[in-house]
Amino acid sequence: TVMGLAEVLPHIPRLFYRLHQATRAVVQARPDALVTIDAKGFNLRLASRVRAQMAADVAPAIVHYVAPSFWAFKRGRERLAGLQTLVDRVLCLLPTEAEALQDAGVPATF
């Protein structure tokens, strides 16, 4: 786990390699569901790559646990529209997150 710009920069090549490995593993395994947990920077990229590389009829259902903290950022709710193309459902920690996500058209469950 790496956080913060100064800590992340030296690890970028390794992070992209891990993203490539994870994508390849999911595509090869062809699971019924892909459950990603938190770490939206990595996991939503993984979801995007899996969707792009797998035909719709064999792509797994993508469930993301721990909603991105859209509520903490100015114009954060505006960013939610793209989330519905990446995941099939978001599992939320707070009921208000589920309500806001549903209002934005993102399937969500508290």
Side-chain angles (χ1 to χ4, degrees):
T1 300
V2 291
M3 295 177 66
L5 185 59
E7 189 177 341
V8 169
L9 285 175
H11 298 282
I12 286 177
R14 183 175 55 91
L15 291 170
F16 275 103
Y17 178 68
R18 293 289 186 222
L19 181 59
H20 173 74
Q21 281 183 311
T23 303
R24 187 176 61 218
V26 172
V27 169
Q28 288 176 350
R30 295 178 58 172
D32 293 328
L34 170 63
V35 179
T36 59
I37 301 173
D38 209 7
K40 71 178 175 77
F42 183 89
N43 285 319
L44 295 183
R45 281 181 179 84
L46 174 62
S48 176
R49 288 175 180 224
V50 167
R51 286 248 194 259
Q53 291 185 26
M54 296 183 78
D57 61 330
V58 295
I62 299 176
V63 178
H64 186 70
Y65 180 60
V66 183
S69 52
F70 61 89
W71 43 265
F73 300 99
K74 185 177 181 179
R75 298 176 52 196
R77 287 180 185 246
E78 294 174 16
R79 297 185 200 177
L80 294 179
L83 189 59
Q84 72 186 55
T85 62
L86 297 176
V87 300
D88 296 300
R89 178 150 310 270
V90 176
L91 304 177
C92 302
L93 298 176
L94 303 170
T96 54
E97 291 174 332
E99 292 167 7
L101 286 164
Q102 290 168 358
D103 289 346
V106 179
T109 304
F110 168 65

